[in-house]
Structures are given as C-alpha cells and as structure tokens.
Amino acid sequence: MDALIKPLRGNKPSDAKVTEFRPAELDPAEFLAAAVRADQPRPSRAEAERAVQTLLGYIGENPSREGLLDTPRRVVEAFDELYQGYHQCPAEVLDRTFGETRRL
C-alpha cells in the first residue's frame, strides 16, 4: 500500500501564504486572577515541609537520618521552581525576545 504524501509548502513562491503577526490579546491581570485563586487556602512553607516529612515516613524512610534532613526543604524549593509558571502570564513570558541575534 502506497501512501500519498502531500507537501506542507507549495513549490512555487506564489503558493506561500503570509500571516500577519499579532501580539497576544490577553490581559495579564485577568489571566492571573483566573489561574491563582485568592480564596483558595494555601499551606505555609513549614506545613509543606512537614508534608514531605510525612511522605518520607510513609514510604518507610527515617526523615531524621542525616541524608534526609534537608530533603523537605529541597522538595519544596523544587516545587516552587517547577510550578512558578502558575504565577506568570504566558503572554508576558512568550513576548520576550532576544535583543542580539545574528545569522552565521
């Protein structure tokens, strides 16, 4: 069975379609209000670290042993970094450009 493969772009310059660039029409305040709810209770950092200690105990580890003493802090810091985008507006982040670029 032979598959028919269609070209993504036309072979002639006249087939090229030019699309106009339009910046995102998203109000950052509106986006953040929908993404991060002020009425949602948020645990403190200490509560989050205690939760990690509880999980370590749940899997059978000793959270008090030397190799795990800093783990709750590190896990909470990792979550802060991993989920920092929930507090950012994608339109603002994606609107950043590199000022100095050159072709080789």
Side-chain angles (χ1 to χ4, degrees), residues 17-96:
K17 293 182 181 177
V18 178
T19 56
E20 182 181 332
F21 173 76
R22 291 185 309 141
E25 297 173 7
L26 180 63
D27 178 18
E30 181 181 325
F31 172 79
L32 291 175
V36 181
R37 296 180 44 184
D39 63 338
Q40 182 71 29
R42 183 174 178 189
S44 68
R45 185 177 193 90
E47 291 172 317
E49 289 181 12
R50 282 194 300 274
V52 173
Q53 286 178 328
T54 299
L55 290 172
L56 288 171
Y58 175 75
I59 63 170
E61 282 286 352
N62 176 6
S64 301
R65 76 175 171 88
E66 186 178 348
L68 293 178
L69 287 175
D70 286 338
T71 297
R73 178 189 54 78
R74 289 192 307 263
V75 168
V76 172
E77 285 177 2
F79 269 72
D80 284 344
E81 184 176 342
L82 183 64
Y83 295 107
Q84 70 184 345
Y86 283 113
H87 301 280
Q88 298 174 337
C89 175
E92 289 178 352
V93 174
L94 296 172
D95 195 34
R96 295 180 192 151

Side-chain angles (χ1 to χ4, degrees), residues 1-9 11:
M1 178 159 103
D2 293 331
L4 177 63
I5 300 174
K6 296 180 182 179
L8 294 176
R9 297 184 182 134
N11 295 330

